[in-house]
Short mmCIF file of all heavy atoms in Angstrom, two decimals:
data_model
loop_
_atom_site.label_atom_id
_atom_site.label_comp_id
_atom_site.label_asym_id
_atom_site.label_seq_id
_atom_site.Cartn_x
_atom_site.Cartn_y
_atom_site.Cartn_z
N MET A 1 -4.41 28.20 -9.22
CA MET A 1 -3.47 27.08 -9.12
C MET A 1 -2.05 27.57 -9.39
O MET A 1 -1.85 28.54 -10.10
CB MET A 1 -3.86 26.01 -10.14
CG MET A 1 -3.56 24.61 -9.64
SD MET A 1 -3.69 23.45 -10.98
CE MET A 1 -4.54 22.12 -10.16
N ALA A 2 -1.09 26.88 -8.83
CA ALA A 2 0.29 27.29 -9.00
C ALA A 2 0.76 27.02 -10.43
O ALA A 2 0.35 26.06 -11.06
CB ALA A 2 1.17 26.55 -8.02
N GLU A 3 1.62 27.88 -10.89
CA GLU A 3 2.12 27.76 -12.25
C GLU A 3 3.64 27.72 -12.21
O GLU A 3 4.27 28.38 -11.41
CB GLU A 3 1.64 28.97 -13.05
CG GLU A 3 1.71 28.78 -14.52
CD GLU A 3 1.18 30.00 -15.27
OE1 GLU A 3 1.68 31.09 -15.02
OE2 GLU A 3 0.27 29.83 -16.09
N GLY A 4 4.20 26.93 -13.09
CA GLY A 4 5.66 26.87 -13.15
C GLY A 4 6.09 26.60 -14.57
O GLY A 4 5.26 26.42 -15.46
N TYR A 5 7.39 26.56 -14.75
CA TYR A 5 7.92 26.29 -16.09
C TYR A 5 8.26 24.81 -16.20
O TYR A 5 8.99 24.27 -15.38
CB TYR A 5 9.15 27.16 -16.34
CG TYR A 5 9.69 27.00 -17.73
CD1 TYR A 5 9.12 27.70 -18.80
CD2 TYR A 5 10.76 26.16 -18.00
CE1 TYR A 5 9.60 27.55 -20.08
CE2 TYR A 5 11.25 26.00 -19.29
CZ TYR A 5 10.66 26.70 -20.32
OH TYR A 5 11.13 26.55 -21.59
N CYS A 6 7.73 24.18 -17.22
CA CYS A 6 8.01 22.77 -17.43
C CYS A 6 9.11 22.65 -18.48
O CYS A 6 8.97 23.15 -19.59
CB CYS A 6 6.76 22.04 -17.90
SG CYS A 6 7.08 20.32 -18.32
N VAL A 7 10.20 21.96 -18.11
CA VAL A 7 11.32 21.84 -19.04
C VAL A 7 10.98 20.88 -20.19
O VAL A 7 11.55 20.97 -21.27
CB VAL A 7 12.61 21.36 -18.33
CG1 VAL A 7 13.16 22.45 -17.44
CG2 VAL A 7 12.36 20.10 -17.52
N LYS A 8 10.06 19.97 -19.94
CA LYS A 8 9.71 19.02 -20.98
C LYS A 8 8.76 19.65 -22.00
O LYS A 8 8.92 19.47 -23.20
CB LYS A 8 9.09 17.77 -20.36
CG LYS A 8 9.26 16.55 -21.22
CD LYS A 8 8.80 15.31 -20.50
CE LYS A 8 8.83 14.11 -21.43
NZ LYS A 8 8.16 12.95 -20.85
N CYS A 9 7.76 20.37 -21.50
CA CYS A 9 6.82 21.05 -22.40
C CYS A 9 7.44 22.32 -22.98
O CYS A 9 6.94 22.86 -23.94
CB CYS A 9 5.53 21.42 -21.66
SG CYS A 9 4.61 20.01 -21.02
N LYS A 10 8.52 22.78 -22.35
CA LYS A 10 9.16 24.04 -22.73
C LYS A 10 8.15 25.19 -22.72
O LYS A 10 8.13 26.03 -23.62
CB LYS A 10 9.83 23.93 -24.10
CG LYS A 10 11.02 22.99 -24.09
CD LYS A 10 11.82 23.13 -25.38
CE LYS A 10 13.14 22.43 -25.29
NZ LYS A 10 13.05 20.99 -25.57
N ALA A 11 7.31 25.17 -21.71
CA ALA A 11 6.30 26.22 -21.59
C ALA A 11 5.82 26.30 -20.15
O ALA A 11 6.06 25.39 -19.35
CB ALA A 11 5.12 25.91 -22.49
N LYS A 12 5.16 27.38 -19.84
CA LYS A 12 4.55 27.49 -18.52
C LYS A 12 3.39 26.53 -18.43
O LYS A 12 2.64 26.35 -19.39
CB LYS A 12 4.06 28.93 -18.29
CG LYS A 12 5.16 29.83 -17.80
CD LYS A 12 4.59 31.05 -17.13
CE LYS A 12 5.67 31.80 -16.38
NZ LYS A 12 5.11 32.97 -15.71
N SER A 13 3.25 25.93 -17.27
CA SER A 13 2.20 24.94 -17.13
C SER A 13 1.64 24.97 -15.71
O SER A 13 2.30 25.41 -14.78
CB SER A 13 2.78 23.57 -17.43
OG SER A 13 1.83 22.57 -17.18
N GLN A 14 0.42 24.53 -15.56
CA GLN A 14 -0.17 24.43 -14.23
C GLN A 14 0.48 23.27 -13.48
O GLN A 14 0.84 22.27 -14.07
CB GLN A 14 -1.68 24.17 -14.34
CG GLN A 14 -2.45 25.27 -15.02
CD GLN A 14 -2.47 26.55 -14.21
OE1 GLN A 14 -2.62 26.52 -13.00
NE2 GLN A 14 -2.28 27.67 -14.87
N MET A 15 0.62 23.45 -12.18
CA MET A 15 1.24 22.42 -11.35
C MET A 15 0.20 21.55 -10.68
O MET A 15 -0.76 22.06 -10.11
CB MET A 15 2.06 23.10 -10.26
CG MET A 15 3.52 22.99 -10.45
SD MET A 15 4.34 23.66 -9.02
CE MET A 15 5.38 24.83 -9.81
N LYS A 16 0.43 20.26 -10.74
CA LYS A 16 -0.45 19.33 -10.05
C LYS A 16 0.16 19.00 -8.70
O LYS A 16 1.37 18.90 -8.57
CB LYS A 16 -0.56 18.04 -10.88
CG LYS A 16 -1.99 17.74 -11.32
CD LYS A 16 -1.99 16.68 -12.36
CE LYS A 16 -2.36 15.33 -11.78
NZ LYS A 16 -2.40 14.32 -12.85
N ASN A 17 -0.68 18.81 -7.69
CA ASN A 17 -0.22 18.50 -6.34
C ASN A 17 0.89 19.44 -5.87
O ASN A 17 1.96 18.99 -5.47
CB ASN A 17 0.28 17.05 -6.25
CG ASN A 17 -0.76 16.05 -6.72
OD1 ASN A 17 -1.93 16.19 -6.42
ND2 ASN A 17 -0.33 15.06 -7.47
N PRO A 18 0.65 20.73 -5.94
CA PRO A 18 1.70 21.66 -5.55
C PRO A 18 1.97 21.66 -4.05
O PRO A 18 1.05 21.52 -3.24
CB PRO A 18 1.12 23.02 -5.99
CG PRO A 18 -0.34 22.83 -6.00
CD PRO A 18 -0.59 21.39 -6.35
N VAL A 19 3.24 21.77 -3.70
CA VAL A 19 3.66 21.87 -2.31
C VAL A 19 4.54 23.12 -2.18
O VAL A 19 5.53 23.26 -2.89
CB VAL A 19 4.47 20.63 -1.87
CG1 VAL A 19 4.94 20.78 -0.43
CG2 VAL A 19 3.63 19.37 -2.02
N VAL A 20 4.16 24.00 -1.30
CA VAL A 20 4.93 25.23 -1.10
C VAL A 20 5.86 25.05 0.08
O VAL A 20 5.45 24.63 1.16
CB VAL A 20 3.99 26.43 -0.85
CG1 VAL A 20 4.79 27.68 -0.56
CG2 VAL A 20 3.08 26.66 -2.05
N SER A 21 7.13 25.32 -0.13
CA SER A 21 8.10 25.25 0.97
C SER A 21 8.90 26.54 1.01
O SER A 21 8.87 27.34 0.08
CB SER A 21 9.02 24.04 0.78
OG SER A 21 9.65 24.10 -0.47
N LYS A 22 9.63 26.69 2.09
CA LYS A 22 10.42 27.88 2.27
C LYS A 22 11.89 27.52 2.06
O LYS A 22 12.35 26.49 2.54
CB LYS A 22 10.21 28.41 3.69
CG LYS A 22 10.10 29.91 3.74
CD LYS A 22 9.68 30.36 5.13
CE LYS A 22 9.65 31.88 5.17
NZ LYS A 22 9.20 32.37 6.47
N THR A 23 12.61 28.35 1.35
CA THR A 23 14.01 28.05 1.12
C THR A 23 14.85 28.57 2.29
O THR A 23 14.37 29.35 3.11
CB THR A 23 14.53 28.72 -0.17
OG1 THR A 23 14.53 30.13 0.03
CG2 THR A 23 13.63 28.40 -1.34
N SER A 24 16.10 28.12 2.35
CA SER A 24 16.97 28.54 3.45
C SER A 24 17.23 30.03 3.42
O SER A 24 17.61 30.63 4.42
CB SER A 24 18.29 27.76 3.38
OG SER A 24 18.86 27.91 2.10
N ARG A 25 17.02 30.63 2.27
CA ARG A 25 17.27 32.07 2.16
C ARG A 25 16.01 32.90 2.41
O ARG A 25 16.00 34.11 2.21
CB ARG A 25 17.85 32.41 0.79
CG ARG A 25 19.16 31.68 0.54
CD ARG A 25 19.68 31.95 -0.85
NE ARG A 25 20.21 33.30 -0.98
CZ ARG A 25 20.71 33.80 -2.10
NH1 ARG A 25 20.72 33.06 -3.18
NH2 ARG A 25 21.17 35.02 -2.15
N GLY A 26 14.94 32.23 2.80
CA GLY A 26 13.72 32.95 3.15
C GLY A 26 12.77 33.17 2.01
O GLY A 26 11.76 33.84 2.16
N GLY A 27 13.08 32.59 0.86
CA GLY A 27 12.16 32.70 -0.27
C GLY A 27 11.16 31.56 -0.25
O GLY A 27 11.21 30.69 0.62
N TYR A 28 10.28 31.56 -1.19
CA TYR A 28 9.29 30.50 -1.27
C TYR A 28 9.44 29.74 -2.57
O TYR A 28 9.79 30.30 -3.60
CB TYR A 28 7.88 31.08 -1.19
CG TYR A 28 7.56 31.63 0.17
CD1 TYR A 28 7.89 32.95 0.50
CD2 TYR A 28 6.97 30.83 1.14
CE1 TYR A 28 7.62 33.45 1.76
CE2 TYR A 28 6.70 31.33 2.40
CZ TYR A 28 7.02 32.64 2.70
OH TYR A 28 6.77 33.13 3.94
N MET A 29 9.19 28.43 -2.44
CA MET A 29 9.35 27.58 -3.59
C MET A 29 8.14 26.68 -3.68
O MET A 29 7.62 26.21 -2.68
CB MET A 29 10.61 26.75 -3.40
CG MET A 29 11.24 26.29 -4.66
SD MET A 29 12.83 25.60 -4.27
CE MET A 29 12.37 23.91 -4.23
N CYS A 30 7.69 26.44 -4.87
CA CYS A 30 6.55 25.56 -5.07
C CYS A 30 7.00 24.38 -5.93
O CYS A 30 7.63 24.56 -6.97
CB CYS A 30 5.42 26.31 -5.75
SG CYS A 30 3.90 25.36 -5.81
N GLN A 31 6.71 23.18 -5.46
CA GLN A 31 7.08 21.99 -6.22
C GLN A 31 5.84 21.17 -6.52
O GLN A 31 4.94 21.06 -5.70
CB GLN A 31 8.07 21.14 -5.42
CG GLN A 31 9.43 21.79 -5.29
CD GLN A 31 10.37 20.96 -4.44
OE1 GLN A 31 10.10 20.73 -3.28
NE2 GLN A 31 11.46 20.53 -5.02
N GLY A 32 5.82 20.63 -7.70
CA GLY A 32 4.68 19.81 -8.08
C GLY A 32 5.00 19.08 -9.36
O GLY A 32 6.16 18.98 -9.76
N THR A 33 3.98 18.58 -10.01
CA THR A 33 4.20 17.92 -11.28
C THR A 33 3.39 18.63 -12.36
O THR A 33 2.34 19.20 -12.09
CB THR A 33 3.76 16.43 -11.22
OG1 THR A 33 2.40 16.38 -10.79
CG2 THR A 33 4.61 15.66 -10.24
N CYS A 34 3.91 18.58 -13.56
CA CYS A 34 3.26 19.24 -14.68
C CYS A 34 1.91 18.58 -14.96
O CYS A 34 1.81 17.36 -15.02
CB CYS A 34 4.17 19.12 -15.92
SG CYS A 34 3.40 19.74 -17.42
N SER A 35 0.87 19.40 -15.08
CA SER A 35 -0.46 18.85 -15.29
C SER A 35 -0.61 18.24 -16.68
O SER A 35 -1.54 17.49 -16.95
CB SER A 35 -1.52 19.94 -15.08
OG SER A 35 -1.30 20.99 -16.00
N LYS A 36 0.32 18.55 -17.57
CA LYS A 36 0.22 18.03 -18.94
C LYS A 36 1.01 16.74 -19.13
O LYS A 36 0.55 15.79 -19.73
CB LYS A 36 0.73 19.08 -19.94
CG LYS A 36 -0.23 20.25 -20.07
CD LYS A 36 0.36 21.30 -21.00
CE LYS A 36 -0.33 22.65 -20.80
NZ LYS A 36 0.53 23.75 -21.22
N CYS A 37 2.26 16.72 -18.62
CA CYS A 37 3.11 15.56 -18.90
C CYS A 37 3.58 14.82 -17.65
O CYS A 37 4.17 13.77 -17.75
CB CYS A 37 4.31 15.98 -19.74
SG CYS A 37 5.50 16.99 -18.84
N GLY A 38 3.35 15.38 -16.46
CA GLY A 38 3.70 14.68 -15.23
C GLY A 38 5.13 14.84 -14.78
O GLY A 38 5.55 14.25 -13.80
N THR A 39 5.91 15.65 -15.50
CA THR A 39 7.29 15.90 -15.11
C THR A 39 7.33 16.73 -13.83
O THR A 39 6.51 17.62 -13.64
CB THR A 39 8.03 16.65 -16.23
OG1 THR A 39 8.05 15.83 -17.39
CG2 THR A 39 9.47 16.99 -15.83
N LYS A 40 8.27 16.41 -12.96
CA LYS A 40 8.41 17.19 -11.74
C LYS A 40 8.87 18.60 -12.09
O LYS A 40 9.73 18.79 -12.94
CB LYS A 40 9.46 16.54 -10.82
CG LYS A 40 8.87 15.45 -9.97
CD LYS A 40 9.82 15.08 -8.85
CE LYS A 40 9.19 13.99 -7.99
NZ LYS A 40 10.11 13.51 -6.96
N MET A 41 8.28 19.55 -11.43
CA MET A 41 8.68 20.93 -11.69
C MET A 41 8.65 21.73 -10.40
O MET A 41 8.02 21.38 -9.42
CB MET A 41 7.76 21.55 -12.75
CG MET A 41 6.31 21.57 -12.37
SD MET A 41 5.23 21.78 -13.81
CE MET A 41 5.54 23.48 -14.21
N SER A 42 9.39 22.82 -10.42
CA SER A 42 9.39 23.70 -9.26
C SER A 42 9.49 25.14 -9.74
O SER A 42 9.92 25.42 -10.85
CB SER A 42 10.56 23.37 -8.34
OG SER A 42 11.77 23.54 -9.00
N ALA A 43 9.05 26.03 -8.88
CA ALA A 43 9.08 27.44 -9.23
C ALA A 43 9.36 28.27 -7.99
O ALA A 43 8.89 27.95 -6.90
CB ALA A 43 7.73 27.84 -9.83
N MET A 44 10.16 29.29 -8.16
CA MET A 44 10.38 30.23 -7.08
C MET A 44 9.15 31.13 -7.02
O MET A 44 8.57 31.45 -8.05
CB MET A 44 11.62 31.09 -7.35
CG MET A 44 12.91 30.29 -7.42
SD MET A 44 13.26 29.39 -5.91
CE MET A 44 13.51 30.76 -4.77
N MET A 45 8.78 31.52 -5.82
CA MET A 45 7.59 32.34 -5.67
C MET A 45 7.82 33.49 -4.72
O MET A 45 8.59 33.37 -3.76
CB MET A 45 6.46 31.50 -5.09
CG MET A 45 5.74 30.67 -6.10
SD MET A 45 4.36 29.84 -5.32
CE MET A 45 3.50 29.33 -6.77
N SER A 46 7.13 34.56 -4.98
CA SER A 46 7.12 35.65 -4.01
C SER A 46 6.19 35.22 -2.87
O SER A 46 5.43 34.27 -3.00
CB SER A 46 6.57 36.91 -4.66
OG SER A 46 5.22 36.73 -5.00
N GLU A 47 6.29 35.92 -1.73
CA GLU A 47 5.44 35.54 -0.60
C GLU A 47 3.96 35.65 -0.99
O GLU A 47 3.15 34.80 -0.65
CB GLU A 47 5.74 36.44 0.60
CG GLU A 47 4.99 35.98 1.84
CD GLU A 47 5.42 36.72 3.09
OE1 GLU A 47 6.27 37.62 2.99
OE2 GLU A 47 4.87 36.39 4.16
N ASP A 48 3.62 36.70 -1.72
CA ASP A 48 2.24 36.89 -2.15
C ASP A 48 1.73 35.70 -2.95
O ASP A 48 0.65 35.18 -2.69
CB ASP A 48 2.13 38.15 -3.03
CG ASP A 48 2.07 39.42 -2.20
OD1 ASP A 48 2.10 39.29 -0.95
OD2 ASP A 48 2.01 40.51 -2.78
N ASN A 49 2.53 35.28 -3.92
CA ASN A 49 2.12 34.17 -4.76
C ASN A 49 2.07 32.86 -3.99
O ASN A 49 1.23 32.01 -4.23
CB ASN A 49 3.06 34.03 -5.96
CG ASN A 49 2.75 35.05 -7.04
OD1 ASN A 49 1.64 35.57 -7.10
ND2 ASN A 49 3.73 35.35 -7.87
N ALA A 50 3.00 32.70 -3.03
CA ALA A 50 3.02 31.49 -2.22
C ALA A 50 1.75 31.40 -1.38
O ALA A 50 1.11 30.35 -1.31
CB ALA A 50 4.26 31.48 -1.32
N MET A 51 1.37 32.51 -0.76
CA MET A 51 0.16 32.52 0.07
C MET A 51 -1.08 32.29 -0.78
O MET A 51 -2.02 31.62 -0.38
CB MET A 51 0.03 33.87 0.81
CG MET A 51 1.13 34.11 1.83
SD MET A 51 1.31 32.71 2.97
CE MET A 51 3.05 32.73 3.29
N LYS A 52 -1.05 32.83 -1.98
CA LYS A 52 -2.18 32.66 -2.89
C LYS A 52 -2.31 31.18 -3.29
O LYS A 52 -3.40 30.61 -3.30
CB LYS A 52 -1.95 33.52 -4.14
CG LYS A 52 -3.24 33.88 -4.85
CD LYS A 52 -2.97 34.83 -6.02
CE LYS A 52 -3.85 34.49 -7.19
NZ LYS A 52 -3.23 34.77 -8.47
N ALA A 53 -1.17 30.56 -3.57
CA ALA A 53 -1.18 29.16 -3.97
C ALA A 53 -1.72 28.29 -2.84
O ALA A 53 -2.50 27.36 -3.06
CB ALA A 53 0.23 28.71 -4.36
N ILE A 54 -1.31 28.62 -1.59
CA ILE A 54 -1.78 27.84 -0.44
C ILE A 54 -3.29 28.02 -0.26
O ILE A 54 -4.02 27.07 0.00
CB ILE A 54 -1.02 28.27 0.83
CG1 ILE A 54 0.44 27.80 0.74
CG2 ILE A 54 -1.69 27.71 2.09
CD1 ILE A 54 1.37 28.45 1.73
N LYS A 55 -3.73 29.24 -0.46
CA LYS A 55 -5.16 29.53 -0.34
C LYS A 55 -5.96 28.75 -1.40
O LYS A 55 -7.10 28.34 -1.18
CB LYS A 55 -5.38 31.03 -0.55
CG LYS A 55 -6.37 31.64 0.43
CD LYS A 55 -6.39 33.14 0.25
CE LYS A 55 -7.79 33.68 0.37
NZ LYS A 55 -7.82 35.10 -0.01
N GLU A 56 -5.31 28.55 -2.53
CA GLU A 56 -5.99 27.85 -3.62
C GLU A 56 -5.83 26.34 -3.55
O GLU A 56 -6.20 25.63 -4.46
CB GLU A 56 -5.45 28.37 -4.97
CG GLU A 56 -5.94 29.77 -5.27
CD GLU A 56 -5.26 30.36 -6.50
OE1 GLU A 56 -4.32 29.73 -7.04
OE2 GLU A 56 -5.67 31.46 -6.91
N GLY A 57 -5.22 25.86 -2.46
CA GLY A 57 -5.19 24.42 -2.25
C GLY A 57 -3.82 23.76 -2.25
O GLY A 57 -3.72 22.56 -2.10
N ALA A 58 -2.75 24.56 -2.44
CA ALA A 58 -1.42 23.96 -2.41
C ALA A 58 -1.10 23.55 -0.97
O ALA A 58 -1.57 24.15 -0.01
CB ALA A 58 -0.38 24.95 -2.91
N LYS A 59 -0.32 22.48 -0.83
CA LYS A 59 0.10 22.02 0.48
C LYS A 59 1.16 22.94 1.04
O LYS A 59 2.01 23.44 0.30
CB LYS A 59 0.68 20.61 0.36
CG LYS A 59 -0.23 19.54 0.90
CD LYS A 59 0.57 18.26 0.93
CE LYS A 59 -0.21 17.15 1.58
NZ LYS A 59 0.50 15.89 1.42
N LYS A 60 1.14 23.11 2.34
CA LYS A 60 2.11 23.98 2.99
C LYS A 60 3.10 23.11 3.73
O LYS A 60 2.70 22.29 4.56
CB LYS A 60 1.33 24.87 3.96
CG LYS A 60 2.12 25.94 4.62
CD LYS A 60 1.17 26.78 5.47
CE LYS A 60 1.92 27.60 6.48
NZ LYS A 60 1.03 28.30 7.41
N SER A 61 4.37 23.25 3.44
CA SER A 61 5.34 22.38 4.11
C SER A 61 6.41 23.20 4.83
O SER A 61 7.59 22.92 4.76
CB SER A 61 5.99 21.42 3.12
OG SER A 61 6.89 22.12 2.28
N PHE A 62 5.98 24.23 5.53
CA PHE A 62 6.93 24.98 6.36
C PHE A 62 6.24 25.46 7.61
O PHE A 62 5.00 25.35 7.70
CB PHE A 62 7.53 26.16 5.57
CG PHE A 62 6.51 27.13 5.04
CD1 PHE A 62 6.09 28.22 5.81
CD2 PHE A 62 5.96 26.97 3.78
CE1 PHE A 62 5.16 29.12 5.31
CE2 PHE A 62 5.03 27.87 3.28
CZ PHE A 62 4.63 28.94 4.05
ZN1 ZN B 101 5.12 19.31 -18.97
#
């Protein structure tokens, strides 16, 4: 599952309903909500991690 930093939990957290998108600069970004508190979160990802997240069930939006 995709992981990101939650500003509310102030810790790394698993992302719920992750959506992977591509940035204008060619990077990958994953957006979702914190599985612990529900706060929206996003994380920059390498291509490897983005593909892994999609394989593990993240939505692909590019
Ligand atoms: Zn949180």
Side-chain angles (χ1 to χ4, degrees):
M1 213 193 222
E3 198 178 55
Y5 184 82
C6 175
V7 289
K8 205 172 174 191
C9 298
K10 292 192 169 83
K12 276 200 168 181
S13 174
Q14 298 293 319
M15 252 187 234
K16 240 167 101 178
N17 305 319
V19 178
V20 177
S21 56
K22 221 172 177 178
T23 68
S24 54
R25 300 176 73 181
Y28 291 87
M29 206 170 97
C30 188
Q31 290 177 299
T33 55
C34 174
S35 60
K36 289 176 199 156
C37 70
T39 298
K40 275 194 179 175
M41 60 199 288
S42 61
M44 297 301 295
M45 278 185 166
S46 66
E47 186 172 2
D48 279 359
N49 282 338
M51 294 309 147
K52 204 175 141 211
I54 290 165
K55 222 173 141 189
E56 287 172 353
K59 253 190 175 172
K60 187 176 162 186
S61 72
F62 58 89

